[in-house]
Amino acid sequence: MKRVFGVKKNKDPPPSVQDASDRITKRGDSVEEKIKKLDAELSRYKEQIKKTRPGPAQEAVKARAMRVLKQKRMYEGQRDMLYNQTFNLDQVQFAAEGIKDAQQTMTALKSANKELKGMMKTVKIQDIDNLQDEMMDLMDVSNEIQESLGRSYSVPDDIDEDELMGELDALELDMGNETEADGVPSYLQPDKEPDLDAELNLPPAPTGQAAVPHGRSNAQTEDELGLPAVPRASVRS
């Protein structure tokens, strides 16, 4: 059967956009090289035309220059056409890559959406609201406890604030009078030291030398410092 009908040949895959773009870019580069060679040849012909005198020789050089110029125009047209094709292929490739990126984005969004749905099943808004209400109640109870613990036991509740303000004004007035009279408030003035001798009524200290009893002479002398002098020992001969 294979000999009669033959074997079906496998077709080559169609070229991709990138392959076609690379191939056309290579052709355009080849045409660009030919144009550069023709430019060099034209510049050489221009120098020859300047150096030769008008006549048949100059006309022959001009004819060759015209032929080269026509080839250059043709190659430039081919180059522009190839570059336009490359530009179109680049636009197609850009659009194809954009579509691929969009597909990947949609796939990622679908996966994320599925995960979010699974997570939202475990989190309920009603549970969050109940938790917030419980936290607010606990905070209120905590504030009440702090206020209860911070009350002062020695301050009565029936204190008249107007009466307290009157006493405060009177105290400020007294402090102002003391400051104007002495220049310094009484509570800032130094304390006066008491006279201990006047309070104790002690007799004055005796002055001069003490009385010597009758029949006893004061044989003890004093030195220049007022201390008892040391008696000198007698030396025996």
Side-chain angles (χ1 to χ4, degrees):
M1 297 294 291
K2 293 182 180 180
R3 293 179 180 179
V4 177
F5 296 102
V7 180
K8 185 177 180 180
K9 296 181 179 180
N10 295 326
K11 294 182 179 181
D12 296 332
S16 62
V17 177
Q18 185 65 37
D19 295 338
S21 179
D22 294 341
R23 184 170 178 272
I24 294 175
T25 301
K26 289 180 181 179
R27 288 180 59 190
D29 294 339
S30 176
V31 175
E32 186 68 26
E33 291 294 331
K34 293 179 180 180
I35 292 174
K36 289 180 180 179
K37 291 180 180 179
L38 293 177
D39 286 335
E41 190 174 355
L42 281 175
S43 62
R44 186 172 67 253
Y45 287 152
K46 287 180 181 179
E47 294 294 332
Q48 291 178 3
I49 291 172
K50 290 180 181 180
K51 292 179 180 179
T52 56
R53 295 179 180 179
Q58 190 180 35
E59 293 296 329
V61 175
K62 287 183 180 179
R64 288 195 295 270
M66 289 296 294
R67 178 177 56 82
V68 173
L69 186 60
K70 289 180 181 178
Q71 290 180 356
K72 178 184 176 183
R73 297 296 183 188
M74 182 186 64
Y75 285 140
E76 287 178 348
Q78 292 180 0
R79 181 195 61 186
D80 294 340
M81 181 182 63
L82 291 173
Y83 284 166
N84 289 333
Q85 293 178 6
T86 304
F87 177 76
N88 293 332
L89 289 173
D90 291 340
Q91 293 293 324
V92 172
Q93 184 177 4
F94 180 78
E97 290 178 354
I99 295 298
K100 290 180 180 179
D101 293 340
Q103 290 177 350
Q104 293 180 357
T105 303
M106 288 296 298
T107 303
L109 288 175
K110 289 180 179 179
S111 178
N113 188 17
K114 185 177 180 181
E115 291 180 1
L116 285 175
K117 287 182 178 179
M119 294 170 65
M120 291 301 293
K121 291 180 180 179
T122 59
V123 179
K124 296 180 180 180
I125 189 64
Q126 186 64 34
D127 295 339
I128 296 175
D129 291 338
N130 294 335
L131 180 61
Q132 291 291 337
D133 294 338
E134 291 179 0
M135 291 298 296
M136 292 297 294
D137 294 338
L138 290 175
M139 292 300 296
D140 293 338
V141 173
S142 177
N143 292 332
E144 291 179 359
I145 293 173
Q146 295 297 327
E147 292 178 359
S148 178
L149 293 175
R151 289 184 299 178
S152 179
Y153 299 106
S154 61
V155 179
D157 296 334
D158 55 350
I159 295 178
D160 189 1
E161 295 184 358
D162 295 335
E163 184 179 355
L164 292 178
M165 291 299 295
E167 293 181 2
L168 181 60
D169 294 338
L171 179 60
E172 293 179 354
L173 182 59
D174 294 340
M175 292 174 61
N177 294 332
E178 292 179 359
T179 304
E180 293 177 358
D182 300 333
V184 180
S186 59
Y187 60 87
L188 294 179
Q189 295 179 359
D191 296 335
K192 296 181 179 180
E193 297 182 357
D195 191 359
L196 298 179
D197 295 338
E199 293 180 359
L200 297 177
N201 294 322
L202 296 177
T207 58
Q209 297 180 356
V212 181
H214 181 71
R216 181 181 300 178
S217 63
N218 189 7
Q220 188 176 4
T221 61
E222 296 179 356
D223 58 4
E224 62 274 7
L225 297 179
L227 300 176
V230 179
R232 295 181 181 179
S234 59
V235 179
R236 297 180 180 178
S237 56

